[in-house]
Amino acid sequence: VSSTQIGMSNVDRREFASRFAILASGAVLAGDIVGANALDFDAFEKGEVEKDVEKCNPKLDPKCIPKLSDDEALCQYGGSGQKRGEACRRVKQAGGTLPEVKKEKSLGGAYAM
């Protein structure tokens, strides 16, 4: 008994191989389309984020972070020292606002040690 009589004939094998090749190429093409859509969504999302940053209003949105110049950033967030003092002076001369000084109440007592 030959192997072709027990299993698939040569014609069936060729037909199976051609159908498998068609299905495999279809799956690869479908994967490429999904990947292209993902790239388009990333570009869309990036554009939306940029629009939100441009329309940022710190008075209305607490999560909004205003764009600061180097001097403003150093004045507001820098450690105390001569460079920070000079930056605050330049901000004040340019008509900008200086950061508010927060006076916090000391806990006192044993915590003050």
Side-chain angles (χ1 to χ4, degrees):
V1 177
S2 70
S3 64
T4 56
Q5 290 176 349
I6 295 174
M8 297 168 59
S9 68
N10 285 338
V11 175
D12 289 341
R13 288 180 188 163
R14 288 185 188 128
E15 187 177 331
F16 172 77
S18 67
R19 288 184 181 173
F20 181 77
I22 291 170
L23 288 173
S25 62
V28 168
L29 289 176
D32 285 346
I33 292 170
V34 171
N37 286 339
L39 292 175
D40 290 342
F41 181 75
D42 290 341
F44 168 76
E45 183 179 22
K46 184 178 179 182
E48 290 297 312
V49 169
E50 287 175 359
K51 286 181 192 175
D52 288 345
V53 170
E54 288 174 7
K55 296 178 184 177
C56 181
N57 185 351
K59 293 179 181 177
L60 299 176
D61 187 6
K63 293 182 182 179
C64 175
I65 301 171
K67 294 179 183 177
L68 301 175
S69 69
D70 290 341
D71 284 338
E72 290 172 327
L74 181 59
C75 180
Q76 188 164 356
Y77 300 111
S80 60
Q82 183 178 0
K83 289 185 179 182
R84 181 174 183 240
E86 292 171 357
C88 289
R89 202 171 306 114
R90 287 191 296 268
V91 168
K92 189 174 181 179
Q93 287 174 351
T97 58
L98 298 178
E100 297 175 7
V101 178
K102 295 180 182 177
K103 293 185 179 180
E104 296 181 11
K105 193 171 188 179
S106 173
L107 295 175
Y111 298 108
M113 293 182 188

